[in-house]
Amino acid sequence: MEFRILGSLEVRAGAAPVRLGGRRQRSLLAMLVAHSNRTVPVPRLVDAVWDQDPPATADRQIRNMVGLLRRMLGTGPASPIVTDGAGYRLVADDARVDHRLFASRVAAAADLDAAQAVPRLREALELWRGPALDGLPGLAFAALAAGLEEQRMAALERLYELELEAGRHREVAAELTGLVADFPLRDRLVRQLLTALHRSGRHSDGLEAYRRHASRLSEDLGLDPTPEAQALQRALLLPCPAPTACPTPTACPTPTARPDRTAPTAGVAPSVPPADPRPEQLPSGLPVFVGRAPELLLLDRVLATGEPGTHPTAAPCAVITGAAGVGKSVLALHWAHLTRERFPDGRLFADLRGWSAAGPRSPHGVLAAFLRALGVPTESIPAQLDEASTLYRSLLAERRMLVVLDDAAGPEHVRPLLPGGSGCAVVITSRDRLTGLVAREGAHRVGLDGFTPAEGQALLARVLGAGTAEAQRQAGARLLDACGHLPLALGIAVAQLRDRPQRDLVAFADELASCADRLGALEAGGDDRSSLRSAFGLSYRALDPAARRLFRRLGLFPGVDISAPVAAALSAAAVDECERLLGRLTTAHLLAEPARGRYRFHDLLKLFAAELGTREESPEEQRELHERWYAWCLHHAHAAARVLTPGRRRVPLRPPPEGLRVADLTGPEQAARWCDDQRANLLATAHHAYERGNDETAWKLPALLWSYLHRTSPQTEGVALGRTAVAAARRLGDLSAQAHGLNDLGHVWGALGELTLSRRTFQRARVLAHDAGDRCTEGRALAYLGAYHYFTGRYADAGEYYERALDLLTADGPETDDWTADLCRTSLAPTYLLLGRYQEASDHASRVLARPRAQRNGPMDCSLLNTLAAAQHALGKPEEAVGHYERSLAVSSRLTGYPAQRAHALAGLAAAHRALGHEQRFRQAWDAAHEIYAELPAHQLTSNLPILAALGFTPPATTDRRR
């Protein structure tokens, strides 16, 4: 049976196609084919099948569809779909899955000479029948199709590079012309076409192709062609007596950025403070490092960098690959510390958790952390992955930095994290061979095996003393064999031995060798997790009882970032005691400390600790631990919400468990900083609570986090969080909670620019809240519907919704929500303005500014001052408008988040200065506004254009937004 997704989904049994049923069954099967021979969790299948709006019965429907597909594809042992843990796996020979066969043929071509590689590459490309996953809608398939398309383009570029080297420029010119028409911004293809036309003597055709390419780059991205493309243009302008001497494109340099700050930048406008941060994020290396001389020399050779800007080649990249526990990360960090002087601008490090039981980190999350380390404020980080990646590459373009990406899941996991400048270098570690990265980006693979006998003995000699290790060489050999020559296992064993008062190597080696479970695991044929479980057990049993208890409890922790306060919440111990115990676990190499006071598990140790926690902690103790952790998250989130959105009604909580310490978050900055630090833990905890059936936590935690999450650039993770909250509330049968979750989800959709989705979600929330008799939540839904009508230009309707919301929100009773009521009052002011009622807008804004409010000097003040300024301008007083806009900017400068209000103030200020004839001030204000708008969803600018139009101001044509 053959499975095909390089085109529309097809399954063939021999020559006959297999009928696959409806769209949902096809979507499910396509996701399994795209991840053939790998387990796909049910939640991921749900996202693929229903995209944005899964039903409450989604899991059950997935099971039913799998059953139908099994009957279609073969029943019983013959079925290629197998159940694997919490998901399903399609078992198929790679040669019978077209995208796997394609990748295999491309990889095989990389090891052949040109004459053999060309037909192999053409055979691979013939597998494509059309756009990958053609006809399957949804974000999940769009991302998969984009990755497959990138693989196809890389293979095509390699093919034409070989064809040009073989002198077949006339033959490939027509093929390249068609491809460049489809992909006009792909620099390498364009340069290959220019080279083929130049060598064929077709100078006028080549110049026309260059002109079209330069025009598209300028119009779409505000960039000039790369220096190589410009060199080819110069060659085309002159007679070329030796055409074959023209450069053959072999790399993909970055197009030259224009110095003009007003040039279009495809939605990316870096907002970086004047300081020049020099991040040093590397975790500490091991105190003792032995061997690996050939690998270190290879890293030195392949990671040699040039001065930034000297030649536009990609940053050199090394991929360290090998089995779990083989020492990939240790080698990468050791080399990074040895070469510190080569990278004067700093070193970035990220644990990608690609093979972690907790799941991989998203590239956008890593980029956000890197950008913050490079000085970009959180609120200025683009929400879209490609824009964040572009900003990241721009910041690194003229720097000499090292980027270490640890534990990557696959090529697409790291591609957005690769710098473009030749002054940087990248070291990646992964259990995957990352063949796609080697083939497309030219990464160099550094394979790593276990310690040789000499290296193992050298480690023992260094740690235990040369004389001791030499005298007891045979015992050391037995110890090394018992550890499977894996550096991680040997390191743990040596740590245990050093903790023994006598340090008796012979007795220790005999004990380890005689451990039946350990030996059986080590000799079980390459099961890395089993092979290390016994080694971890020895390390665990050497701990004191308090450290063992904390280790077990950390294994049950649903988050990823461990600190002393987190450990205290999980163990009910004092923070000082937890600091000591965490230090003990770190010394025993059972935890890593990537940053001071911040701890993380290696993924296999996390699995081991979880098994211990499940086995040795009673069900009641496990339940108590999770309830205690949930309470810690809920009460801290409640405290943060109280200061971030004062006066906004918050969900009620039960009293915290006895002895649970909740930090005092006294101000917005401290609250936002706590949320930043715990963000990954909080998001993971909400999903964990839902999976364990704690629906109260699963909907209340997202509800409390709204006060934090809505301040920052919209993140797609908010969609998943909102869906979890709604599903939990639905499972509880709580209509009010469902409405609350739908309101928050609708707000995320709106922040992402998905206004139609937001409207439908708010409408559902309003109906449920009304049925539940929850006036506050219904009022919020009406207020948000008002915002929807405002953003879509229906101002009279918007005003009606705001006034209806106010009627509900100001009614007597416990439903009062002063914050949202103030939001409605604030929103009415620009609504009056856009209805042409300028004096009423001015009077209303002044009254709201003067009245007592839940939050002063916050984002609502910015909005009110902006409206007051615009009304004064519209009434013929632009000089008074300037003062109000400057007050708004002063307030926004003290806020974390809310970039749209600052952009609106700057845009209005530009309009006022132009009306007053202050041309230079107008240009400065508008350029600053444009920079912020470029990072926001399009509706933020478009919603402000009618206000600017009412002031007789037309923004300069500097925006080409493709959002």
Side-chain angles (χ1 to χ4, degrees):
M1 190 167 287
E2 296 182 359
F3 299 89
R4 302 175 181 178
I5 59 172
L6 301 181
S8 58
L9 174 67
E10 282 188 5
V11 179
R12 287 188 170 269
V18 177
R19 296 186 63 181
L20 300 175
R23 181 189 64 78
R24 290 176 180 172
Q25 287 173 217
R26 296 174 64 84
S27 296
L28 190 154
L29 179 59
M31 184 60 66
L32 293 175
V33 174
H35 299 85
S36 59
N37 297 313
R38 294 181 65 178
T39 301
V40 184
V42 169
R44 191 167 185 180
L45 293 172
V46 169
D47 285 341
V49 172
W50 284 279
D51 194 27
Q52 306 295 338
D53 193 18
T57 59
D59 288 9
R60 185 173 72 249
Q61 291 190 48
I62 289 289
R63 290 194 297 272
N64 294 339
M65 283 188 278
V66 167
L68 290 171
L69 286 171
R70 282 172 170 163
R71 288 193 289 275
M72 293 175 183
L73 302 178
T75 57
S79 175
I81 301 178
V82 300
T83 303
D84 190 356
Y88 299 95
R89 175 162 44 93
L90 177 76
V91 179
D93 190 308
D94 284 353
R96 296 190 173 276
V97 181
D98 62 351
H99 72 96
R100 299 287 189 197
L101 181 58
F102 170 76
S104 174
R105 287 179 177 175
V106 171
D111 297 326
L112 301 175
D113 58 34
Q116 296 173 307
V118 166
R120 184 58 63 91
L121 285 169
R122 288 197 177 274
E123 287 176 8
L125 290 162
E126 286 172 359
L127 294 170
W128 285 75
R129 298 169 289 108
L133 297 159
D134 193 21
L136 292 173
L139 296 175
F141 291 116
L144 287 171
L148 291 169
E149 185 63 31
E150 282 298 320
Q151 294 180 35
R152 183 175 81 93
M153 296 307 299
L156 282 166
E157 289 168 348
R158 176 59 178 159
L159 169 66
Y160 292 123
E161 178 184 328
L162 295 173
E163 294 278 36
L164 288 171
E165 289 175 357
R168 291 174 48 81
H169 39 273
R170 295 182 188 277
E171 291 84 345
V172 300
E175 296 177 29
L176 283 165
T177 299
L179 280 170
V180 168
D182 292 335
F183 302 96
L185 300 180
R186 198 160 184 103
D187 176 77
R188 192 176 181 189
L189 274 181
V190 172
R191 290 185 291 116
Q192 288 172 333
L193 173 60
L194 297 180
T195 300
L197 294 173
H198 182 272
R199 292 179 178 179
S200 301
R202 298 167 58 184
H203 287 212
S204 60
D205 291 339
L207 289 171
E208 176 60 20
Y210 176 85
R211 185 196 64 75
R212 289 195 298 268
H213 173 60
S215 176
R216 284 297 299 272
L217 270 179
S218 176
E219 292 173 3
D220 291 3
L221 302 178
L223 300 175
D224 293 325
T226 61
E228 285 86 347
Q230 295 177 32
L232 284 165
Q233 183 216 22
R234 290 192 294 271
L236 287 161
L237 288 167
L238 298 170
C240 188
T244 57
C246 293
T248 298
T250 57
C252 297
T254 304
T256 304
R258 294 178 174 173
D260 181 6
R261 295 284 292 174
T262 65
T265 57
V268 177
S271 176
V272 184
D276 187 17
R278 184 181 182 276
E280 288 289 351
Q281 296 186 334
L282 292 183
S284 60
L286 291 180
V288 177
F289 183 93
V290 298
R292 306 303 196 194
E295 291 83 5
L296 290 170
L297 289 172
L298 182 57
L299 289 171
D300 277 334
R301 180 172 63 81
V302 302
L303 293 175
T305 60
E307 291 294 332
T310 56
H311 49 278
T313 57
C317 176
V319 176
I320 303 174
T321 65
V326 82
K328 303 180 293 294
S329 303
V330 171
L331 174 63
L333 290 173
H334 186 72
W335 185 87
H337 284 292
L338 287 177
T339 57
R340 177 175 183 173
E341 298 304 318
R342 297 189 194 179
F343 306 99
D345 294 322
R347 296 170 295 177
L348 296 169
F349 175 87
D351 177 7
L352 302 181
R353 303 199 304 269
W355 298 87
S356 166
R361 290 178 69 184
S362 70
H364 189 277
V366 176
L367 279 173
F370 280 177
L371 291 171
R372 283 192 290 268
L374 292 166
V376 179
T378 298
E379 62 270 19
S380 297
I381 295 172
Q384 304 299 323
L385 174 62
D386 57 344
E387 295 178 8
S389 184
T390 300
L391 175 57
Y392 166 75
R393 290 194 300 273
S394 300
L395 292 176
L396 265 59
E398 298 299 323
R399 304 192 191 200
R400 293 177 62 84
M401 296 189 74
L402 175 65
V403 181
V404 180
L405 304 173
D406 192 31
D407 197 23
E412 294 305 319
H413 201 186
V414 295
R415 281 195 172 114
L417 309 175
L418 299 179
S422 59
C424 296
V426 185
V427 180
I428 302 169
T429 72
S430 180
R431 298 181 204 177
D432 189 273
R433 288 175 58 81
L434 301 185
T435 301
L437 210 64
V438 174
R440 177 184 164 194
E441 276 78 12
H444 297 266
R445 187 181 288 121
V446 180
L448 205 58
D449 294 320
F451 275 153
T452 65
E455 288 172 334
Q457 293 287 2
L459 177 65
L460 293 174
R462 289 278 302 278
V463 174
L464 303 177
T468 302
E470 183 65 24
Q472 302 180 27
R473 181 169 295 276
Q474 294 303 315
R478 292 198 303 277
L479 179 61
L480 184 62
D481 288 342
C483 292
H485 291 243
L486 289 175
L488 178 60
L490 184 61
I492 294 174
V494 168
Q496 292 291 325
L497 180 57
R498 291 187 66 186
D499 286 341
R500 294 192 170 200
Q502 302 304 320
R503 295 192 180 182
D504 188 339
L505 176 60
V506 174
F508 184 79
D510 290 341
E511 176 185 332
L512 192 60
S514 63
C515 177
D517 290 339
R518 182 181 183 83
L519 283 174
L522 288 171
E523 296 173 359
D527 183 348
D528 293 324
R529 295 188 180 186
S530 296
S531 70
L532 295 178
R533 189 177 292 113
S534 295
F536 296 156
L538 286 174
S539 187
Y540 167 75
R541 286 194 292 274
L543 298 171
D544 59 80
R548 288 202 300 269
R549 180 175 181 269
L550 178 60
F551 182 73
R552 292 194 305 269
R553 292 194 153 225
L554 290 176
L556 300 171
F557 171 51
V560 291
D561 292 314
I562 302 167
S563 61
V566 167
L570 294 167
S571 64
V575 172
D576 291 347
E577 172 66 4
C578 287
E579 287 178 347
R580 183 190 72 79
L581 294 174
L582 290 170
R584 178 73 185 89
L585 294 175
T586 305
T587 301
H589 301 290
L590 291 171
L591 281 181
E593 188 178 12
R596 183 174 178 81
R598 309 283 292 188
Y599 303 88
R600 285 199 172 193
F601 274 112
H602 182 279
D603 54 351
L604 294 175
L605 280 164
K606 170 71 172 178
L607 178 62
F608 172 72
E611 291 177 351
L612 285 173
T614 302
R615 185 172 68 244
E616 298 188 22
E617 300 285 317
S618 69
E620 179 60 26
E621 288 172 325
Q622 294 177 49
R623 186 196 62 77
E624 180 185 339
L625 177 147
H626 286 126
E627 293 297 330
R628 187 178 180 86
W629 171 249
Y630 296 155
W632 190 85
C633 292
L634 287 167
H635 283 277
H636 276 90
H638 192 279
R642 185 180 65 251
V643 294
L644 291 174
T645 52
R648 188 174 192 262
R649 192 187 73 165
R650 294 174 294 280
V651 297
L653 300 179
R654 300 175 186 178
E658 183 178 355
L660 185 72
R661 182 178 180 274
V662 179
D664 186 16
L665 305 177
T666 57
E669 290 185 2
Q670 185 185 12
R673 187 165 55 251
W674 182 89
C675 291
D676 283 340
D677 289 343
Q678 297 296 328
R679 183 182 187 122
N681 288 342
L682 294 167
L683 297 178
T685 296
H687 296 300
H688 180 269
Y690 177 72
E691 291 167 2
R692 289 183 61 87
N694 189 315
D695 293 323
E696 183 178 359
T697 298
W699 85 262
K700 286 187 174 181
L701 185 55
L704 292 167
L705 289 176
W706 183 92
S707 297
Y708 161 68
L709 292 173
H710 90 282
R711 300 159 61 93
T712 59
S713 297
Q715 305 288 339
T716 52
E717 63 196 7
V719 175
L721 191 67
R723 286 174 170 170
T724 293
V726 173
R730 186 183 296 126
R731 205 157 59 182
L732 282 172
D734 187 332
L735 296 182
S736 178
Q738 289 181 59
H740 200 304
L742 286 167
N743 271 340
D744 292 350
L745 180 58
H747 192 277
V748 174
W749 285 129
L752 288 168
E754 299 288 349
L755 299 183
T756 301
L757 272 174
S758 73
R759 173 181 57 81
R760 293 172 181 169
T761 308
F762 292 143
Q763 287 172 336
R764 290 166 58 198
R766 191 198 68 78
V767 171
L768 289 173
H770 182 79
D771 291 346
D774 185 345
R775 288 180 297 178
C776 177
T777 304
E778 184 180 359
R780 285 183 187 172
L782 290 169
Y784 294 152
L785 284 167
Y788 163 79
H789 285 87
Y790 178 89
F791 282 123
T792 52
R794 285 171 276 186
Y795 307 117
D797 292 338
E800 290 181 9
Y801 274 106
Y802 290 139
E803 289 169 354
R804 288 170 60 192
L806 266 174
D807 289 342
L808 286 174
L809 293 166
T810 56
D812 295 334
E815 294 86 1
T816 300
D817 183 338
D818 291 342
W819 193 90
T820 307
D822 286 341
L823 179 64
C824 291
R825 296 186 186 98
T826 299
S827 301
L828 278 169
T831 304
Y832 295 152
L833 182 74
L834 287 169
L835 289 170
R837 294 147 60 179
Y838 303 138
Q839 189 62 54
E840 186 177 358
S842 176
D843 294 344
H844 180 83
S846 298
R847 285 196 303 272
V848 178
L849 279 168
R851 77 186 305 277
R853 283 174 289 125
Q855 184 179 29
R856 305 204 56 99
N857 296 318
M860 294 184 208
D861 292 71
C862 296
S863 178
L864 290 165
L865 288 166
N866 289 343
T867 302
L868 182 59
Q872 292 300 308
H873 188 167
L875 292 168
K877 304 173 184 177
E879 66 282 353
E880 293 188 19
V882 169
H884 294 310
Y885 283 129
E886 289 176 343
R887 283 178 60 198
S888 174
L889 290 170
V891 174
S892 69
S893 67
R894 297 189 293 271
L895 297 178
T896 300
Y898 307 105
Q901 291 300 336
R902 184 168 184 82
H904 297 338
L906 287 165
L909 185 61
H913 279 311
R914 171 163 275 189
L916 292 168
H918 303 157
E919 196 63 23
Q920 183 177 357
R921 293 179 183 176
F922 144 70
R923 174 56 61 183
Q924 290 173 342
W926 177 252
D927 286 350
H930 176 243
E931 273 196 296
I932 301 174
Y933 279 131
E935 303 294 345
L936 298 173
H939 71 275
Q940 292 289 359
L941 172 58
T942 56
S943 69
N944 199 40
L945 291 178
I947 292 180
L948 298 177
L951 306 179
F953 176 74
T954 301
T958 56
T959 311
D960 183 12
R961 301 172 59 88
R962 300 190 180 276
R963 291 277 213 146

